[in-house]
Amino acid sequence: AQSVTQLDSHVSVSEGTPVLLRCNYSSSYSPSLFWYVQHPNKGLQLLLKYTSAATLVKGINGFEAEFKKSETSFHLTKPSAHMSDAAEYFCVVSDRGRNAGNMLTFGGGTRLMVKP
Amino acid sequence: NAGVTQTPKFQVLKTGQSMTLQCAQDMNHNSMYWYRQDPGMGLRLIYYSASEGTTDKGEVPNGYNVSRLNKREFSLRLESAAPSQTSVYFCASSERRNYGYTFGSGTRLTVV
């Protein structure tokens, strides 16, 4: 079985300071990992994905994440927050060993607030 | 623009009423999914269709039915709505395993 834990339900940063959103996962197989962003009253947009290539993954809008198998973590970072980054972020895992479709398991979400 | 289209965007139902949420994708994706989103719980899978002609239950299927009408369309039906089904519903599609999903913009459903 696979599961995802986002360690912080809310994170608040000042504009221009670094962002760190933490995610731990468990998976029976070699996982694929994703980060999605959801702006208020919008759908979900894919930020980045890890699928067994380079462990440091770069995504859109300056975000990146590092896959650390030994720590079962996939934390999302950005060097400098912008007001437009305020949104909810979801860490997502997919077991690549599963046979039934391409089912993703979502974490509970982290709401990022950016102060001016 | 290419993507996943959901209708309606908003709906209010009375307890016991039925309705169907519609979803269509124009990306020629094989797999389609229905999720519900509730505060603090992320998204939970209701049903999915790995390919045209197949459907399977996800994590929270009770009270719902689905139809994969063709490769483009995947509908979700509530036969007898309950207040516990008040939620935001998202449809998604994917091309193949591990490619992530493309999501629709959601349907906000309130059951009173």
Side-chain angles (χ1 to χ4, degrees):
Chain A
Q2 55 191 25
S3 66
V4 180
T5 302
Q6 292 183 241
L7 298 168
D8 307 293
S9 59
H10 293 81
V11 170
S12 181
V13 301
S14 297
E15 191 174 21
T17 64
V19 175
L20 170 63
L21 305 184
R22 298 182 295 165
C23 172
N24 287 106
Y25 70 91
S26 70
S27 173
S28 303
Y29 303 94
S30 298
S32 290
L33 293 156
F34 308 83
W35 277 97
Y36 281 84
V37 60
Q38 184 181 30
H39 288 92
N41 300 313
K42 301 289 187 183
L44 282 81
Q45 180 185 18
L46 180 65
L47 268 181
L48 50 79
K49 62 183 178 184
Y50 165 79
T51 56
S52 83
T55 56
L56 182 62
V57 181
K58 294 188 183 300
I60 61 172
N61 300 333
F63 284 94
E64 62 182 38
E66 186 171 8
F67 173 70
K68 293 187 176 181
K69 186 175 181 179
S70 61
E71 298 176 9
T72 61
S73 70
F74 190 57
H75 301 333
L76 181 70
T77 60
K78 183 174 181 177
S80 176
H82 190 274
M83 295 297 291
S84 61
D85 295 328
E88 186 143 23
Y89 293 79
F90 293 96
C91 182
V92 183
V93 65
S94 172
D95 269 338
R96 287 185 285 132
R98 293 177 66 91
N99 294 320
N102 181 25
M103 286 190 288
L104 305 184
T105 299
F106 285 75
T110 298
R111 183 164 298 278
L112 176 65
M113 294 167 282
V114 182
K115 298 175 290 186
Chain B
N1 291 336
V4 178
T5 303
Q6 289 183 237
T7 55
K9 293 190 182 303
F10 301 94
Q11 184 72 51
V12 178
L13 290 178
K14 294 182 179 179
T15 298
Q17 287 185 317
S18 62
M19 79 162 294
T20 299
L21 308 184
Q22 306 287 352
C23 175
Q25 53 92 7
D26 57 6
M27 297 169 288
N28 203 36
H29 286 174
N30 285 315
S31 302
M32 298 185 73
Y33 311 82
W34 276 105
Y35 281 85
R36 60 178 288 173
Q37 182 179 27
D38 302 292
M41 303 185 74
L43 276 71
R44 292 180 292 166
L45 182 65
I46 305 171
Y47 270 92
Y48 69 99
S49 171
S51 60
E52 185 178 357
T54 69
T55 61
D56 285 286
K57 295 178 180 179
E59 181 184 355
V60 288
N62 291 345
Y64 306 95
N65 285 298
V66 291
S67 296
R68 184 73 183 267
L69 305 169
N70 47 55
K71 192 171 186 179
R72 290 187 64 249
E73 298 173 288
F74 188 41
S75 61
L76 178 72
R77 183 162 178 83
L78 287 72
E79 290 292 351
S80 178
S84 61
Q85 294 178 305
T86 293
S87 188
V88 181
Y89 292 84
F90 286 98
C91 178
S93 69
S94 68
E95 179 179 350
R96 66 183 80 173
R97 292 170 64 82
N98 308 318
Y99 271 56
Y101 292 176
T102 299
F103 282 89
S105 57
T107 296
R108 188 173 296 275
L109 175 68
T110 302
V111 182
V112 298

